[in-house]
Amino acid sequence: MESKHVHQQIAAMRQSFFDEEVLDEKFSQLEQLEGKDNPNFVEEVFTMYFRDSTAFLETIEQAMKTIPIDSIKVDNILHQLKGSSASVGANKVLKEVNKTRQVLGKGNLEGTKAGILELRKEYDSFKAKLEPYFQLKQANSVAQEK
Amino acid sequence: MNSSSGKSYMSTASSSVIWKAGGDVVADQFPAGLRVLVVDDDPTCLMILEKMLKACQYNVTKCNRAETALSMLRENRNGFDIVISDVHMPDMDGFKLLEHIGLEMDLPVIMMSADDGKNVVMKGVTHGACDYLIKPVRIEALKNIWQHVVRKRKNEWKDFEQSGSVEEGDRQPKQSEDADYSSSANEGNWKSSKRRKDDEDENDERDDTSTLKKPRVVWSVELHQQFVAAVNQLGIEKAVPKKILELMNVPGLARENVASHLQKYRLYLRRLSGVSQHPSNLNNSFMNPQDATFGPLDLQALAATGQLPAQSLATLQAAGLGRSTAKSGIPMPLVDQRNIFSFENPKLRFGEAQQHVNNNKQMNLLHGIPTTMEPKQLAGLHHTAQSMGNMNMPVLSHGSQSSQNNPLLMQMAQPQARGQMLNDSTVGLAPRLLSPMGQPMLSNGMATNVSTRNGVPENIRAPSYNPVSQTSSMLNFPMNHTSELPGNSFPLVSTPGISSLAPKVAFQEDVNSEIKGSVGFMPSYDIFNELTQHKPQNWELQNVGMMFNTSQHSNSLRGNLDHTQSVLVQQGFSTGQNRNSTVISKAMFSAGDSTGHVNAQNGNQHLNSLFVDNTVRVKSERVADAAPANLYPDHFGREDLMSALLKQQDVIAPAENNDFDFDGYSIDNIPV
């Protein structure tokens, strides 16, 4: 029962991500890749994603503080973020990345700074949602093993 | 599955056995087991891709750095079927990697990026990517990537088929381009009456199996020997695949394999004997700076007119491209990406190209069948060599080498050196000579390089030789030879005479005198032997010999030697071992000092580098990489070079066996 309850909880969380469009279908595709031999694939991917993306964002934020701002570097990192966010299905994060890149592309540094702030917010929110989800999942599967 | 080794003729495993020789065995499980190399610096994406590819049942190798990927590919030339690479990578631009792969290994490459801008996608196209995926990549997109492998193979197969109609000169080079799957249609076009008989058989079979079921056979030395023995027994005119197959009596060998091999062989022979020479018109074309698409439009035009076989064109282009700077006339190795190599059989092309290109000098490619490199053949080569333009010869310029081995070479070297100088620094040698020659030569080398994958090395050989022409004539045909050497390592026709080299060509002494212009091989053979030893790539060396030919000049002899060595070196390198070649070229050049070809050397170096690079790019850097330390100081250098070459070749060659690469044909194999 407990596990059933947790199951439901997990499923509800998951569904909410899709409803809020925090995640897109790419995420489901990743889930489909999971199998018996690697049941934690998605979690592993996200762990990697969060680790790298956090570092990327920090680098960008630092770069935006230097004078003069190295736009190319920032753009490169944003490009990286774009690819990885798209690959994991981080829908809203991806949108912010794209927006910011566009603004940067036009040479609007102030706008870029604002964009990065938004990106940071979205990313933190995303991470805050997904991490508990995976933790719960993990705990549940461990519990189930028992 | 995938038997990656590809060297076995027989499919030992039920699962896909990759036969190299021009076709993939379509195992029941195909495309499962397709060997994919995926390169992406983003670990998240890389992980996801790997998982998806595995889900498609491919055999996946992942790599997060382009340099690592490239060395993996170089070490195991036939270990992969297809490469997927990201565009933006920190250590190397994805397009650059794409070019390298196309030139060196001729594998299909799929580019990937989060960018979907038209420009980027266009860049992928022009650089020769066979597909472009936008991130996030869907697994559905990955499920179909095997089509690119099949398509490529099919085109290659076709090229081979067509190689018979080399004379027609319309080779269709790009395999990566739209697939000419409708083999029947294509085949019909290319069929030449000459080949009709065999072609028909082959074509029929091909049609049947055109759906990628071409078992690829690795033509090892022994197998090739058996093949040649069977052919000789039947008589070259009467040798038909069916009978050859019967005589050979090798289990697991299909008539198709024999047929395509025979085709290559014939081309090779033809090249040897009838190297046609085109004045290096192509040279000019080559000069084009590298573009993604072979700059030298002229070449294309030439090719179109049938003068320059597609392959040659490729080579030339490559050369030209490589040379962007070297307009001087040395068709530098194709820097251009794969385009150059896209010509399926670079080898063949070269022969053609050489002839065409080289016409300047008339390099008679030693069509002669390697086995009997007769002086006259050498002469032929001579011509080609000349036309080839000193490309190959750069090395030869060493002239000083003259050590006995390559009297021919030396000669060739001499002229070559001149030609080589074309590179940029043509020292003063008759640039004209060089240029035309150089160019063709380069192209040859390049062309061969291109095909390296398939064992193209052969092609390369031819071109390179040319430069060697004697001082006067530009290259003795080395060029021609090179073209002849179609992948089958019929290599160095000239080499036969070389004692050392396997093809014991009696040329050595005789040749020198006779061939003077044509075959400098003699000495080179020695080199070749060493070099070619195993590798199919031997032909590379052989080419070298060819190049050297004939220039009888004493000086040239010396130089030839150098050249030979260098040629060899180049040859070897051309296969894609850029490194090697550069080294060799370097070596050669240094050797050439003695005769005062110093200049040439420089030029050669350029040439060499071109050469070498041709597989990849003629980068001067390469040469530097080569660290010519070994460049055989005098003859010894050769040996070192040879071994270096061989080594390189090994890298390249191991795989070579599979397709008709010259592997099997190392000089030794060629019955003299």
Side-chain angles (χ1 to χ4, degrees):
Chain A
M1 254 191 303
E2 191 175 27
S3 103
K4 186 173 165 201
H5 174 67
V6 171
H7 261 281
Q8 282 175 345
Q9 211 181 334
I10 293 173
M13 275 177 93
R14 181 181 171 281
Q15 190 54 42
S16 73
F17 297 151
F18 287 112
D19 294 341
E20 294 169 21
E21 292 184 355
V22 170
L23 287 177
D24 61 26
E25 67 274 4
K26 199 69 183 79
F27 184 81
S28 342
Q29 289 175 22
L30 287 184
E31 286 177 320
Q32 282 164 21
L33 289 174
E34 260 182 359
K36 290 230 174 85
D37 51 341
N38 63 336
N40 299 321
F41 173 66
V42 182
E43 188 187 349
E44 285 164 19
V45 170
F46 270 84
T47 305
M48 211 177 262
Y49 169 72
F50 287 134
R51 183 194 67 201
D52 292 342
S53 302
T54 304
F56 281 146
L57 259 182
E58 278 166 9
T59 308
I60 289 180
E61 283 162 349
Q62 273 305 313
M64 292 306 285
K65 288 188 193 146
T66 60
I67 297 165
I69 294 175
D70 186 348
S71 314
I72 306 231
K73 181 179 180 184
V74 173
D75 187 62
N76 282 343
I77 300 179
L78 284 174
H79 176 85
Q80 274 278 64
L81 267 176
K82 178 181 176 179
S84 52
S85 303
S87 300
V88 302
N91 188 44
K92 282 195 172 163
V93 173
L94 177 64
K95 285 204 170 103
E96 290 302 324
V97 170
N98 286 337
K99 260 200 279 182
T100 309
R101 262 188 108 205
Q102 254 188 340
V103 172
L104 176 65
K106 294 190 182 138
N108 182 352
L109 290 177
E110 284 307 312
T112 303
K113 281 185 188 159
I116 287 177
L117 280 175
E118 282 298 317
L119 172 60
R120 167 56 87 177
K121 257 181 20 187
E122 198 59 59
Y123 174 77
D124 285 343
S125 151
F126 179 67
K127 193 159 179 270
K129 289 187 168 129
L130 270 289
E131 278 181 336
Y133 167 75
F134 285 118
Q135 279 164 9
L136 200 56
K137 252 188 116 202
Q138 178 73 324
N140 189 39
S141 64
V142 168
Q144 283 179 333
E145 279 163 26
K146 293 195 191 144
Chain B
M1 22 183 334
N2 64 79
S3 53
S4 40
S5 49
K7 300 225 180 167
S8 50
Y9 312 118
M10 334 283 204
S11 36
T12 49
S14 54
S15 56
S16 58
V17 170
I18 308 282
W19 289 43
K20 310 227 191 163
D24 283 321
V25 162
V26 179
D28 298 341
Q29 299 167 24
F30 185 84
L34 194 74
R35 298 158 305 164
V36 184
L37 175 65
V38 57
V39 190
D40 193 334
D41 64 318
D42 184 53
T44 308
C45 293
L46 198 60
M47 190 177 188
I48 297 174
L49 280 166
E50 186 195 21
K51 195 79 182 71
M52 291 199 287
L53 289 165
K54 280 193 173 150
C56 295
Q57 296 190 295
Y58 295 149
N59 187 323
V60 188
T61 306
K62 64 177 180 191
C63 189
N64 67 348
R65 287 182 60 84
E67 287 292 350
T68 313
L70 205 53
S71 54
M72 255 196 244
L73 286 165
R74 283 178 181 149
E75 274 166 33
N76 188 3
R77 278 200 157 217
N78 289 292
F80 299 100
D81 297 311
I82 189 166
V83 179
I84 302 180
S85 170
D86 188 34
V87 168
H88 289 85
M89 287 190 288
D91 63 332
M92 188 195 289
D93 181 34
F95 293 116
K96 233 183 167 56
L97 177 66
L98 168 61
E99 287 178 9
H100 278 303
I101 296 176
L103 285 173
E104 291 181 43
M105 296 114 203
D106 196 29
L107 281 172
V109 182
I110 295 177
M111 297 309 290
M112 231 183 359
S113 176
D115 248 337
D116 57 354
K118 186 179 124 190
N119 293 340
V120 181
V121 179
M122 178 61 90
K123 223 174 156 193
V125 172
T126 54
H127 282 66
C130 63
D131 205 351
Y132 192 101
L133 302 176
I134 311 283
K135 286 184 181 176
V137 178
R138 285 168 23 256
I139 192 173
E140 291 77 22
L142 296 178
K143 284 213 169 103
N144 292 328
I145 61 173
W146 57 267
Q147 65 175 294
H148 303 294
V149 177
V150 173
R151 187 178 294 125
K152 210 172 180 71
R153 297 255 169 86
K154 220 174 187 298
N155 290 341
E156 285 167 4
W157 191 266
K158 271 196 195 162
D159 281 348
F160 276 141
E161 288 294 317
Q162 301 198 342
S163 48
S165 45
V166 161
E167 294 79 32
E168 294 164 12
D170 279 16
R171 286 189 167 239
Q172 53 140 20
K174 322 195 178 344
Q175 60 247 15
S176 45
E177 295 177 336
D178 51 288
D180 268 322
Y181 280 121
S182 43
S183 33
S184 36
N186 294 322
E187 287 162 10
N189 296 338
W190 298 319
K191 245 198 226 190
S192 63
S193 50
K194 221 195 283 194
R195 306 171 14 217
R196 186 166 307 259
K197 190 167 61 142
D198 287 338
D199 287 276
E200 277 172 353
D201 285 349
E202 222 170 322
N203 286 335
D204 291 343
E205 257 182 279
R206 274 218 301 155
D207 287 348
D208 295 342
T209 56
S210 60
T211 45
L212 340 165
K213 285 204 191 218
K214 298 193 226 288
R216 267 169 77 181
V217 173
V218 175
W219 283 89
S220 69
V221 168
E222 299 81 26
L223 196 66
H224 178 66
Q225 273 172 341
Q226 279 181 281
F227 170 82
V228 176
V231 168
N232 290 336
Q233 197 176 329
L234 293 166
I236 188 68
E237 294 305 314
K238 293 210 183 128
V240 285
K242 289 204 172 91
K243 293 207 182 118
I244 297 174
L245 188 65
E246 281 165 25
L247 275 178
M248 285 177 72
N249 193 26
V250 171
L253 193 60
R255 194 198 75 81
E256 258 185 335
N257 306 130
V258 175
S260 67
H261 193 71
L262 178 66
Q263 198 169 18
K264 292 188 205 176
Y265 187 66
R266 286 230 178 93
L267 279 172
Y268 169 73
L269 297 182
R270 209 174 292 137
R271 260 215 286 261
L272 292 175
S273 56
V275 175
S276 53
Q277 316 55 27
H278 273 258
S280 46
N281 304 330
L282 298 181
N283 297 329
N284 303 326
S285 351
F286 296 121
M287 306 299 252
N288 304 323
Q290 339 172 336
D291 302 36
T293 45
F294 298 107
L297 296 179
D298 303 329
L299 288 178
Q300 297 195 342
L302 264 173
T305 53
Q307 303 225 303
L308 195 50
Q311 294 171 337
S312 318
L313 181 57
T315 338
L316 292 174
Q317 288 186 336
L321 289 177
R323 296 230 357 189
S324 51
T325 51
K327 292 289 201 105
S328 43
I330 299 200
M332 306 302 287
L334 310 178
V335 179
D336 190 349
Q337 308 105 18
R338 303 149 329 119
N339 295 331
I340 307 195
F341 300 107
S342 47
F343 294 114
E344 306 291 4
N345 302 309
K347 307 184 282 215
L348 296 180
R349 308 225 192 173
F350 282 7
E352 301 300 323
Q354 306 231 330
Q355 306 189 342
H356 298 293
V357 176
N358 301 322
N359 282 330
N360 328 319
K361 294 294 186 147
Q362 299 182 337
M363 315 228 285
N364 301 316
L365 295 179
L366 293 184
H367 292 292
I369 304 167
T371 56
T372 47
M373 293 268 324
E374 285 152 7
K376 52 179 184 205
Q377 289 183 342
L378 290 175
L381 287 174
H382 186 56
H383 290 305
T384 41
Q386 308 201 333
S387 42
M388 297 289 287
N390 311 306
M391 302 220 336
N392 298 325
M393 309 301 282
V395 178
L396 298 176
S397 34
H398 291 298
S400 49
Q401 297 260 321
S402 62
S403 45
Q404 342 60 74
N405 299 337
N406 312 317
L408 291 180
L409 291 179
M410 305 259 302
Q411 298 174 348
M412 305 227 326
Q414 305 262 332
Q416 299 265 339
R418 316 299 169 86
Q420 314 222 329
M421 307 295 279
L422 295 184
N423 293 319
D424 278 283
S425 49
T426 42
V427 187
L429 291 181
R432 46 183 173 44
L433 287 183
L434 298 177
S435 19
M437 310 257 298
Q439 303 207 342
M441 306 265 308
L442 290 178
S443 47
N444 290 330
M446 312 247 307
T448 44
N449 291 331
V450 178
S451 353
T452 51
R453 267 266 298 182
N454 303 312
V456 177
E458 300 177 338
N459 299 331
I460 307 197
R461 284 206 279 197
S464 25
Y465 302 131
N466 304 323
V468 179
S469 59
Q470 314 73 6
T471 48
S472 53
S473 46
M474 300 243 293
L475 308 175
N476 298 317
F477 52 62
M479 307 259 312
N480 296 327
H481 267 295
T482 44
S483 52
E484 277 302 335
L485 303 190
N488 297 319
S489 56
F490 290 112
L492 308 183
V493 172
S494 48
T495 48
I498 303 189
S499 48
S500 51
L501 289 177
K504 322 270 178 170
V505 181
F507 300 67
Q508 293 179 349
E509 305 300 332
D510 304 332
V511 175
N512 293 331
S513 46
E514 301 182 301
I515 312 204
K516 300 268 191 109
S518 56
V519 182
F521 305 114
M522 303 290 279
S524 46
Y525 292 123
D526 295 352
I527 306 183
F528 290 125
N529 279 330
E530 300 169 8
L531 292 178
T532 54
Q533 316 240 314
H534 18 292
K535 313 308 219 54
Q537 319 297 346
N538 296 331
W539 32 274
E540 303 217 281
L541 295 178
Q542 298 180 341
N543 294 329
V544 173
M546 311 244 291
M547 306 222 306
F548 297 125
N549 52 51
T550 67
S551 8
Q552 298 246 322
H553 318 286
S554 50
N555 302 331
S556 51
L557 281 183
R558 265 169 319 146
N560 288 337
L561 256 186
D562 293 334
H563 291 299
T564 341
Q565 302 187 350
S566 48
V567 171
L568 291 178
V569 172
Q570 297 191 340
Q571 303 279 334
F573 294 124
S574 28
T575 47
Q577 296 288 352
N578 300 323
R579 313 251 188 92
N580 300 325
S581 29
T582 45
V583 174
I584 304 194
S585 346
K586 287 212 176 153
M588 309 262 297
F589 290 109
S590 38
D593 280 336
S594 52
T595 49
H597 288 288
V598 180
N599 299 328
Q601 292 178 359
N602 299 332
N604 290 336
Q605 297 210 341
H606 287 288
L607 286 177
N608 285 330
S609 44
L610 288 181
F611 245 89
V612 180
D613 282 316
N614 31 184
T615 51
V616 180
R617 286 250 181 143
V618 185
K619 283 189 189 193
S620 47
E621 317 158 0
R622 298 248 179 155
V623 175
D625 298 339
N630 304 317
L631 300 180
Y632 14 83
D634 262 358
H635 291 301
F636 303 113
R638 267 193 303 131
E639 319 230 327
D640 295 339
L641 285 176
M642 305 282 285
S643 39
L645 269 178
L646 286 178
K647 246 194 273 165
Q648 300 286 353
Q649 302 247 340
D650 283 339
V651 176
I652 310 178
E656 304 318 59
N657 285 316
N658 7 342
D659 300 90
F660 295 87
D661 294 339
F662 287 99
D663 347 68
Y665 303 160
S666 48
I667 308 210
D668 297 298
N669 297 331
I670 302 189
V672 180

